[in-house]
Amino acid sequence: MSKWPTSLLFLVLTTANFACGDGKSATAPKANAVQTDTLSSDGVQADDADAELADASPADIPTGDGPDCTTDEDCQTLVNLGTWPSKSLAACATTLCLNLRCAIAAKPAGAPCADNDGLECTHFTCSATAACEKTTQIDADWCQVGQACIPANTPKPDAPCLVCDPSLSKTDWSPAKLGTACADSLDCTVDSCDGKGSCDSSTLKTDTCLVQDGGKPRCMAKGEPQSSDLTCQVCDPTKN
């Protein structure tokens, strides 16, 4: 039997009943559950598509300010139709679909841009400042002489022994190879390039003569009289 006074025992039992209530164990109130889903910077629930951007600063997230789009091709279609943008794109500008809006961006340095000199052997590329600039490179197998592009081995129209030879020069005419056929106005000469840019017509064809007639060269066949008045003077290839 307990030796505690009756009054003290009553106080202990009363205190115990007050703490335990209906006899069940008391538990501490639960803390509010923490939301584990990704939140955007303003506390709004972010969906899966935006989750990877949740930690990015606004400067890290590119945005477009043009029409709605889903692909880059959507924006290019608007350009082709002439419905967007309001002004023509610069030669080194391109369009992109960024965050579902069309945007204009600069092409990377070195990207080709519209050739505006009309020459098929030259090239233009974008600079680091988005300017369309002509390169110094001329296409292989071409020459650029003045403002004309000349395919390799093409002779100069008024000088058949000058040709485009990119191995010698890509910006000027070069001498044709020695022995390259050429032509003059005389049908009695064997014509070939001298390797220095001129047509050599000093060799006569067999059984022909080359005479001066009124200060102009004229071809004659063997035995042909010089003229109707000089029938006793004929072409004799064995003599000068």
Side-chain angles (χ1 to χ4, degrees):
M1 182 158 181
S2 174
K3 295 181 181 180
W4 290 359
T6 302
S7 59
L8 180 59
L9 182 60
F10 175 80
L11 177 60
V12 171
L13 293 174
T14 302
T15 302
N17 288 336
F18 178 80
C20 297
D22 57 2
K24 295 181 180 179
S25 300
T27 58
K30 293 183 178 180
N32 291 333
V34 177
Q35 176 66 42
T36 58
D37 294 334
T38 303
L39 299 180
S40 63
S41 58
D42 58 2
V44 178
Q45 178 69 37
D47 59 23
D48 291 340
D50 293 333
E52 62 185 56
L53 299 178
D55 295 330
S57 67
D60 295 329
I61 306 173
T63 59
D65 57 4
D68 294 342
C69 60
T70 55
T71 66
D72 293 346
E73 287 73 18
D74 292 341
C75 302
Q76 186 58 49
T77 297
L78 296 177
V79 174
N80 295 341
L81 293 174
T83 57
W84 177 85
S86 59
K87 297 181 180 180
S88 299
L89 288 176
C92 286
T94 187
T95 58
L96 300 172
C97 184
L98 300 176
N99 286 355
L100 304 181
R101 297 290 296 275
C102 288
I104 299 174
K107 292 181 180 179
C113 53
D115 186 332
N116 59 16
D117 67 355
L119 300 178
E120 57 186 316
C121 62
T122 59
H123 296 280
F124 285 72
T125 58
C126 295
S127 69
T129 58
C132 187
E133 298 178 345
K134 185 176 181 178
T135 67
T136 58
Q137 179 182 359
I138 300 174
D139 279 347
D141 298 327
W142 287 82
C143 302
Q144 182 187 350
V145 182
Q147 290 300 307
C149 286
I150 313 296
N153 300 317
T154 300
K156 187 177 181 181
D158 59 350
C161 289
L162 294 175
V163 300
C164 164
D165 186 346
S167 65
L168 298 178
S169 174
K170 294 179 72 69
T171 58
D172 202 356
W173 297 104
S174 301
K177 294 180 179 179
L178 177 65
T180 300
C182 55
D184 57 16
S185 59
L186 302 173
D187 58 7
C188 61
T189 57
V190 178
D191 308 320
S192 62
C193 296
D194 62 2
K196 299 177 182 180
S198 298
C199 185
D200 183 2
S201 303
S202 60
T203 302
L204 291 176
K205 294 180 180 179
T206 303
D207 295 334
T208 62
C209 300
L210 180 63
V211 299
Q212 294 294 320
D213 187 1
K216 296 181 180 181
R218 180 168 70 89
C219 290
M220 297 176 60
K222 180 179 180 180
E224 178 184 349
Q226 184 171 354
S227 67
S228 58
D229 295 334
L230 298 172
T231 56
C232 293
Q233 294 182 3
V234 299
C235 167
D236 183 355
T238 63
K239 297 179 179 180
N240 293 334

